[in-house]
Amino acid sequence: MRDVRINFSKLGRLRFISHLDLNRAMLRTLRRTDIPIWYTEGFNPHPYAAFALPLPLGAESENDVLDIRVVGDIKNAAVMDKLNAVLPDGLTVTDCHNPIDKFSEITAADYLFFFEKDADRAMLQKVLESGTLLCEKNGKSHGRKVVKTVNLLEHLPAFSFTEREEDLLLHLTLPAGSKNNVNPILLSQALQNQYHTQPFLIRRIQLLTDHGILK
Amino acid sequence: MLKELENLLLSVQKPASYVGGEPGSVMKQKDSVDLRFAFCFPDTYEIGMSHLGMKILYSLINSREDAWCERVFAPAGDMEKVMREHKIPLYALESGDPLADFDIIGFTLMYELCYTNVLNMLDLAGLPIHAKDRQSLSPLVVAGGPCACNAEPMADFIDLFMLGDGEEVMMELLDLYKEWKQKGGDKASFLEEASHIEGIYVPSLYHVSYHEDGTIRSVTAMKTAPAKVNKRNVSDLEHVFYPTDFVVPYTEIVFDRAVHEIFRGCVRGCRFCQAGFIYRPVREKSPQTISRQSRLLCENTGYDELSLCSLSSSDYSRLKELLEELLSWTEPMKINIALPSLRIDNFDKELLEKLSSVRKSGLTFAAEAGTQRLRDVINKNITEEEILRTSRSAFEGGRTAVKLYFMLGLPTETADDVRGIAELAQKVVNEFYHIPNKPKGKSVQVSVSASNFVPKPFTPFQWEPQATEEELIEKQKLLRESITTRKIQLSCHHPDISALEGVMARGDRRLGQVIEQAWKNGCHFDSWENHFSAEAWRTAFEQCGISAAFYANRRRSYDEILPWDHLNYGIRKSFLQREAEKAKQAETTPQCRVRCAGCGADTLNGGHCDARCKD
């Protein structure tokens, strides 16, 4: 029994698939292969799968990470080939390897925000440098549902722009993980609500730990 | 897919149900096929995707190289608003192309309350809702499903109906359409030719005249259409097409699992049950074929649950053999077998243990009526003793919840029968407290669900008046008052929804204008309690000057011409009449395997019925 770390992309219309739906789809995908998967031993035996960091509904991802558990002899490359043979359009395994980092070590994530070509770059830059972008968020306090106001730019993000022929790219690193997490969709909605500018697509590029890309 | 649509999707609930692309969905090049078929389910994605008939026909049509079948569902309110605001026409999930681009648009009519949704979907597609206003051959609007057995209320909107089993008639329809399309034939000549295919009913080729009192004087076939239309019957279930793959949805749907149909038809003959008659005769599939096909299905879909589907699982003649066959591979593959509508009283205990080894399902009894007398009237042969005995063994096995299903408003029902429901539920509660080793620290929960009886065509109760809304409200009140413990939880259906269902079920084609008016008044998703508007429907009936009571609450005489009399489902009217008379005497009819009741369904099946040949 050992864990295999799977790097995969989730692109295009698959961004409308929620995290729970993706989890179910991945378990079924595993069952469609003959990969010798390890089953949990409770009342409802199911394959073991753990995602590094849920992707919010609406964002696509170039490099997401999932750990599965296998039994018996199977090479990482074979896991990748078998999965890719049955994965639906939009989901592709890009790499399989032995896990090194723990998911709890994730501290940040890189995103690409795609804006229309005529988006106001100077304004966006000003907002990102201001360190303030408030949004209302449903949360819990002492077990009760409350609406909290949070500052999405509390930790000043690293960012850069690339102007391309067809669009304007914003490359953004946001805090991520269990301690501090900024949801890029909330950020996009706050930009729309307060500055009437919104990216038409958000893509997560990679997950980061304090010492680099999650391995 | 439209970029515009993608940007809008994040503002609606469950966007995944509007984008397609699920594993198992079929993509083809539209230029390389001759026929494009849009299979429409007039309800939301999570309901429509659970429908087995759609899965079968989707795979069947897509097995043809010359055709591409795609799926279409009714958008929920928020999505419809977005689509109308941005002028996005109703589109099919696979290609994203608007419905108007298709050759054939096929609706499945699973329940009467979906009729306004059909109109709404045609309108969302930008198509005229009336069949007569769609003059070219394409898109042809067809419909099938159980409601096609009396789809007269939808006659103004649908070009042709497919009656009975769809697998064969669908292929013949596609062949004929292809021929007409290639030679550039017109719609009128196509419809006439199609009416010669067994199982196809073209309503515009029948003229209906009425007596002064509103009843039907005559139904006359025009041109070369047959006077009586037979439903289509697939006689060889063993070799008929069955899908080896399903579209596996991303979002959760109502029934999210592999399904295999083990037999068609039913031997029970419960007198209120339309499905029990219109799907006759009984035709079984062999355990070996079921096992082989469902294994392939599980391997291709990755589902961890396999449901065996039929009208009454325990009446499958080789059930033990089938389960042993299935368990040989489902156990190692960690697949759970779901066996709905199983009578567990005389069932192999050891096998039952194995079935529930993966997951425990609930215990449900469809008692349908509260007293033995009324159960005899409706020919539901389940006894109080059986219910109590099975409940007891379930309680002893550690379960604490039992569900009981009943109907209110059954023919000959009295106040005693209604009170009988509460008494029976109370006895189940008592049973729990009588067992010495009852689960510690737990209370028992008996859920009573009382729906309203709706008389349906092709049943012995097709002549019966339906209980009025006022009567049903009274009965519900009486039942609620008869329950004296919190251990019994009662849920009732809305009488006004059942009333509308009753009108549509036995309606004629004059109701088309009411459906249209109701839709214009804003009605759709009528089967959803939160969408149903009794007021808008009442207004629609008034606007059209049509009495709902004429259709629902009137006793019909045996010699009245019924709106569905020109459709032949094999069931003899004389048999239904005989059953209706026996019901009045509370006389039961034994199930088909004990003694053939001579319903006549075998006449459409070359004289064969698997209920008679076996045992």
Side-chain angles (χ1 to χ4, degrees):
Chain A
M1 182 171 85
R2 68 183 183 93
D3 285 3
V4 179
R5 182 152 295 178
I6 295 169
N7 292 60
F8 66 97
S9 62
K10 175 179 181 253
L11 301 172
R13 54 184 167 182
L14 265 285
R15 71 182 184 278
F16 298 110
I17 309 305
S18 72
H19 176 66
L20 284 177
D21 293 342
L22 177 70
N23 181 43
R24 203 168 34 235
M26 278 297 187
L27 295 187
R28 282 181 187 153
T29 303
L30 281 170
R31 296 180 56 97
R32 283 200 293 271
T33 68
D34 59 358
I35 297 172
I37 14 175
W38 178 82
Y39 279 83
T40 59
E41 283 158 351
F43 282 106
N44 296 319
H46 57 84
Y48 170 83
F51 289 82
L53 187 69
L55 186 68
L57 184 73
E60 59 177 31
S61 178
E62 210 168 271
N63 187 1
D64 247 43
V65 180
L66 159 76
D67 281 358
I68 62 163
R69 200 161 285 172
V70 297
V71 287
D73 263 349
I74 182 161
K75 292 213 159 57
N76 290 337
V79 172
M80 173 159 145
D81 293 343
K82 285 175 192 289
L83 281 172
N84 278 334
V86 294
L87 274 170
D89 261 10
L91 285 173
T92 314
V93 175
T94 52
D95 188 37
C96 279
H97 57 93
N98 299 335
I100 298 170
D101 300 323
K102 286 188 190 136
F103 291 155
S104 56
E105 291 176 68
I106 296 170
T107 51
D110 279 344
Y111 297 91
L112 268 184
F113 282 35
F114 293 73
F115 289 92
E116 297 292 351
K117 206 180 158 37
D118 55 6
D120 188 344
R121 174 179 169 169
M123 185 269 288
L124 285 169
Q125 180 152 356
K126 219 173 115 194
V127 174
L128 290 169
E129 282 169 348
S130 74
T132 313
L133 183 63
L134 301 180
C135 95
E136 289 194 334
K137 190 178 160 185
N138 294 323
K140 269 187 184 170
S141 167
H142 302 286
R144 279 194 203 158
K145 278 183 188 169
V146 289
V147 177
K148 287 183 196 165
T149 302
V150 291
N151 181 9
L152 297 169
L153 299 177
E154 194 182 335
H155 303 271
L156 275 181
F159 68 92
S160 64
F161 286 98
T162 312
E163 277 180 36
R164 300 198 300 183
E165 197 145 313
E166 65 280 16
D167 51 21
L168 171 70
L169 294 187
L170 165 64
H171 183 273
L172 193 61
T173 306
L174 294 172
S178 48
K179 281 202 194 90
N180 219 322
N181 194 64
V182 173
N183 182 332
I185 298 289
L186 283 182
L187 196 137
S188 154
Q189 281 165 357
L191 283 175
Q192 172 66 22
N193 292 340
Q194 293 161 49
Y195 300 98
H196 310 290
T197 303
Q198 195 173 25
F200 62 84
L201 181 66
I202 296 173
R203 182 184 298 159
R204 190 154 80 190
I205 302 300
Q206 57 204 7
L207 299 170
L208 304 168
T209 66
D210 281 339
H211 44 268
I213 299 171
L214 178 80
K215 289 192 189 78
Chain B
M1 174 162 294
L2 295 164
K3 192 172 162 191
E4 186 193 1
L5 179 66
E6 295 205 343
N7 287 335
L8 296 169
L9 277 175
L10 283 180
S11 64
V12 302
Q13 295 267 310
K14 299 181 183 160
S17 38
Y18 304 112
V19 294
E22 309 94 324
S25 57
V26 178
M27 293 302 291
K28 295 191 180 188
Q29 291 297 324
K30 61 181 170 190
D31 302 324
S32 68
V33 295
D34 301 315
L35 295 167
R36 296 189 67 189
F37 192 102
F39 198 118
C40 301
F41 194 96
D43 212 314
T44 56
Y45 180 89
E46 57 263 51
I47 295 173
M49 280 296 288
S50 309
H51 175 44
L52 178 59
M54 177 179 225
K55 295 172 198 282
I56 295 175
L57 292 174
Y58 179 83
S59 293
L60 174 72
I61 299 173
N62 280 324
S63 72
R64 292 171 66 123
E65 261 187 35
D66 62 352
W68 185 13
C69 179
E70 304 184 39
R71 296 160 298 143
V72 186
F73 302 94
D78 57 347
M79 182 61 176
E80 179 182 342
K81 194 160 161 259
V82 165
M83 289 169 73
R84 287 200 189 271
E85 262 168 28
H86 295 266
K87 299 205 163 35
I88 297 169
L90 188 62
Y91 58 92
L93 289 183
E94 278 75 3
S95 63
D97 290 339
L99 247 60
D101 290 2
F102 283 74
D103 291 300
I104 304 179
I105 297 172
F107 284 95
T108 180
L109 306 176
M110 296 303 294
Y111 25 84
E112 295 82 0
L113 297 174
C114 70
Y115 291 167
T116 49
N117 275 16
V118 173
L119 269 55
N120 200 42
M121 286 172 79
L122 288 173
D123 184 64
L124 264 174
L127 295 167
I129 58 165
H130 290 107
K132 63 173 166 42
D133 297 334
R134 297 186 301 263
Q135 280 153 4
S136 59
L137 179 61
S138 91
L140 186 76
V141 179
V142 305
C147 289
C149 78
N150 178 33
E152 287 299 284
M154 290 297 282
D156 291 349
F157 315 111
I158 306 290
D159 293 314
L160 67 83
F161 293 99
M162 284 178 261
L163 315 182
D165 302 327
E167 289 99 335
E168 293 168 356
V169 64
M170 176 66 84
M171 297 306 245
E172 290 166 28
L173 178 76
L174 294 186
D175 288 338
L176 186 70
Y177 186 95
K178 186 174 160 184
E179 185 192 327
W180 241 253
K181 187 180 175 184
Q182 279 166 353
K183 75 177 187 194
D186 67 350
K187 183 173 171 181
S189 60
F190 172 79
L191 287 177
E192 190 179 349
E193 189 62 31
S195 76
H196 302 157
I197 298 176
E198 176 142 306
I200 288 189
Y201 168 53
V202 180
S204 57
L205 292 178
Y206 294 79
H207 179 258
V208 185
S209 64
Y210 303 91
H211 290 295
E212 243 164 53
D213 64 0
T215 57
I216 293 172
R217 183 197 302 274
S218 65
V219 178
T220 323
M222 295 184 291
K223 296 185 186 166
T224 56
K228 231 176 187 262
V229 185
N230 291 342
K231 78 153 178 176
R232 195 56 182 263
N233 177 77
V234 169
S235 37
D236 186 3
L237 225 53
E238 191 68 8
H239 294 101
V240 75
F241 178 86
Y242 200 80
T244 52
D245 202 0
F246 283 174
V247 179
V248 183
Y250 285 113
T251 63
E252 264 184 298
I253 59 170
V254 183
F255 295 118
D256 204 0
R257 56 199 183 194
V259 188
H260 205 107
E261 186 186 23
I262 55 177
F263 70 100
R264 250 171 235 185
C266 185
V267 301
R268 292 283 156 184
C270 304
R271 291 178 182 133
F272 56 86
C273 176
Q274 186 182 43
F277 294 102
I278 63 171
Y279 292 113
R280 287 184 180 201
V282 173
R283 288 146 292 159
E284 290 195 345
K285 215 164 171 168
S286 76
Q288 291 70 30
T289 306
I290 297 169
S291 175
R292 180 171 44 80
Q293 291 177 338
S294 44
R295 179 171 189 164
L296 214 52
L297 188 58
C298 287
E299 284 170 353
N300 286 335
T301 56
Y303 273 125
D304 57 5
E305 186 170 39
L306 170 66
S307 174
L308 301 179
C309 164
S310 70
L311 290 170
S312 167
S313 310
S314 41
D315 289 326
Y316 180 69
S317 63
R318 296 154 78 184
L319 189 58
K320 189 162 184 250
E321 187 186 344
L322 171 65
L323 290 176
E324 278 164 357
E325 190 97 26
L326 291 174
L327 283 165
S328 71
W329 56 268
T330 56
E331 278 193 310
M333 279 173 76
K334 304 218 170 25
I335 289 168
N336 181 33
I337 299 177
L339 204 45
S341 52
L342 180 70
R343 306 162 76 95
I344 39 180
D345 34 329
N346 49 8
F347 202 69
D348 193 316
K349 279 263 153 56
E350 205 176 308
L351 212 51
L352 201 62
E353 275 303 300
K354 276 191 168 171
L355 271 185
S356 55
S357 65
V358 191
R359 216 168 294 164
K360 257 188 188 165
S361 59
L363 185 64
T364 308
F365 292 102
E368 311 294 5
T371 60
Q372 194 56 48
R373 184 198 69 82
L374 195 53
R375 282 194 292 272
D376 288 344
V377 169
I378 62 176
N379 204 36
K380 177 83 197 184
N381 66 340
I382 182 168
T383 62
E384 185 173 303
E385 215 243 303
E386 270 174 89
I387 294 172
L388 297 182
R389 194 180 55 227
T390 317
S391 302
R392 181 166 54 231
S393 62
F395 292 146
E396 279 165 355
R399 292 190 218 208
T400 55
V402 170
K403 267 196 231 167
L404 298 172
Y405 288 169
F406 295 97
M407 275 187 285
L408 288 174
L410 286 164
T412 77
E413 185 179 63
T414 64
D416 282 344
D417 296 312
V418 177
R419 279 190 288 265
I421 295 175
E423 283 157 21
L424 180 56
Q426 185 63 50
K427 283 178 190 161
V428 174
V429 171
N430 297 346
E431 207 59 48
F432 177 80
Y433 289 103
H434 287 159
I435 54 168
N437 57 340
K438 61 175 177 286
K440 296 240 159 27
K442 276 184 178 171
S443 170
V444 63
Q445 191 59 252
V446 176
S447 311
V448 171
S449 163
S451 61
N452 306 312
F453 169 63
V454 177
K456 295 274 166 114
F458 297 107
T459 67
F461 292 152
Q462 63 178 355
W463 296 279
E464 286 292 321
Q466 184 182 2
T468 63
E469 273 180 66
E470 292 73 32
E471 287 167 348
L472 287 171
I473 291 168
E474 270 309 301
K475 285 171 196 279
Q476 290 185 352
K477 191 166 157 250
L478 175 61
L479 177 55
R480 201 164 284 123
E481 287 166 359
S482 310
I483 294 172
T484 52
T485 164
R486 285 209 192 148
K487 310 237 180 298
I488 301 172
Q489 236 174 15
L490 173 66
S491 60
C492 293
H493 281 223
H494 289 225
D496 43 9
I497 298 184
S498 307
L500 179 65
E501 184 187 336
V503 172
M504 291 301 156
R506 292 187 295 171
D508 56 40
R509 44 178 79 179
R510 287 172 297 186
L511 286 177
Q513 48 177 319
V514 183
I515 298 171
E516 185 182 348
Q517 191 58 51
W519 168 66
K520 284 181 177 157
N521 294 352
C523 292
H524 62 323
F525 288 110
D526 296 311
S527 58
W528 296 53
E529 286 174 9
N530 54 335
H531 287 286
F532 178 75
S533 165
E535 200 44 49
W537 272 101
R538 204 165 297 138
T539 314
F541 277 102
E542 274 165 24
Q543 283 166 312
C544 300
I546 284 178
S547 151
F550 172 82
Y551 294 100
N553 315 118
R554 179 173 61 91
R555 178 176 294 282
R556 291 148 170 84
S557 74
Y558 288 139
D559 50 16
E560 179 177 333
I561 296 176
L562 302 171
W564 52 94
D565 273 354
H566 55 299
L567 308 182
N568 176 24
Y569 271 65
I571 309 292
R572 287 187 199 104
K573 215 172 171 180
S574 57
F575 161 77
L576 293 176
Q577 209 170 314
R578 207 158 63 227
E579 282 292 295
E581 286 303 314
K582 284 173 89 174
K584 285 178 191 159
Q585 310 301 323
E587 243 182 84
T588 58
T589 298
Q591 58 125 315
C592 304
R593 287 221 168 83
V594 175
R595 192 171 70 225
C596 173
C599 67
D602 59 343
T603 52
L604 293 178
N605 196 36
H608 292 288
C609 174
D610 280 353
R612 203 171 39 222
C613 310
K614 302 267 166 71
D615 299 341

